[in-house]
Amino acid sequence: MQRSTATLKRDVANKLLRQIAAELGLDEQAVILNCMGIRAAESPARSKKQRLAIDMRTSANSRMVLTWHPIFEVTDREVWQEIATHGLEYHPVYDALIPRLSCVFCVLAPFDVLVRAARLCWALGLPLPARYRDLEAKIGHRFKQSHSLAQVYAEAERLEREEGPLVWNRGDAVRQHLGAGAADDYLARVALAA
């Protein structure tokens, strides 16, 4: 579960921090500030982290690494307000109302987000939902204790029958977080910048 974060983010950053300290060739311990853009609102586990802490795993005789989360207390609404106010680009998956850009079927995602992710895959012509469902059946292990990918798939199919294919528009994420007026202002701002 935590492996993707460790392998793709933290381990890569730690390797770079060790390299930087070695290249400095200092006679005394280097102090390195590692800034990471995580927020407490992203998950219960992240909310328990400290805004500033010594990274004991990466620190050594030649380096003391401090990990700082400068946007730790920023709320979802504040993030979207910054995006809207400054006409900033964001990944289009947010407009499909997927709250976090992560693995398609993230074990940390709630059921409704997994269902939406399956529908998003179908809208984009990706065969991932069936592959994951079939793999789960083949290995005989549920995706999560609370629900299987087969259940996610079935619910996504039900919604597709009732609502039709998933559709989304540019600005839907801003609309969801800040309202229609903010989305209209955002889209106008982006159009002017283009």
Side-chain angles (χ1 to χ4, degrees), residues 11 24 27 37-39 45 51 71 77 79-80 91 94 105 112-113 120 129 134 143 170 172 183-184 192 194:
D11 289 354
L24 288 172
D27 293 335
I38 69 165
R39 296 180 307 108
R51 184 179 170 104
I71 62 168
R77 183 174 177 80
V79 168
W80 286 102
H91 197 283
Y94 292 110
F105 296 117
D112 63 318
V113 173
L120 177 59
D134 296 348
F143 181 67
R170 186 75 172 124
D172 281 352
D184 293 342
L192 282 174

Side-chain angles (χ1 to χ4, degrees), residues 28-103:
E28 54 190 45
Q29 188 179 51
V31 177
I32 301 173
L33 183 62
N34 182 15
C35 300
M36 298 181 70
I38 69 165
R39 296 180 307 108
E42 292 174 320
S43 73
R46 287 186 174 180
S47 71
K48 294 175 184 155
K49 291 187 178 289
Q50 295 177 336
R51 184 179 170 104
L52 179 67
I54 297 174
D55 180 348
M56 299 304 287
R57 291 179 48 175
T58 311
S59 294
N61 290 338
S62 64
R63 64 191 174 274
M64 178 172 59
V65 178
L66 301 173
T67 300
W68 179 39
H69 307 294
I71 62 168
F72 193 67
E73 288 92 12
V74 176
T75 65
D76 290 348
R77 183 174 177 80
E78 289 169 328
V79 168
W80 286 102
Q81 188 62 60
E82 279 294 308
I83 290 168
T85 299
H86 299 290
L88 302 175
E89 291 292 327
Y90 58 87
H91 197 283
V93 77
Y94 292 110
D95 283 327
L97 306 184
I98 304 288
R100 288 183 66 181
L101 188 58
S102 62
C103 300

Side-chain angles (χ1 to χ4, degrees), residues 91-169:
H91 197 283
V93 77
Y94 292 110
D95 283 327
L97 306 184
I98 304 288
R100 288 183 66 181
L101 188 58
S102 62
C103 300
V104 173
F105 296 117
C106 177
V107 294
L108 301 176
F111 184 79
D112 63 318
V113 173
L114 294 170
V115 169
R116 193 156 191 88
R119 296 181 70 204
L120 177 59
C121 285
W122 292 334
L124 296 173
L126 302 174
L128 293 175
R131 286 185 184 168
Y132 276 73
R133 179 204 59 199
D134 296 348
L135 178 61
E136 180 186 63
K138 182 178 179 179
I139 65 173
H141 182 74
R142 291 169 64 97
F143 181 67
K144 293 176 85 165
Q145 281 188 336
S146 58
H147 52 269
S148 67
L149 285 173
Q151 290 170 306
V152 168
Y153 194 95
E155 178 62 11
E157 282 184 316
R158 185 188 69 75
L159 289 173
E160 290 282 304
R161 284 191 304 274
E162 287 182 10
E163 300 174 1
L166 186 66
V167 294
W168 62 94
N169 295 295

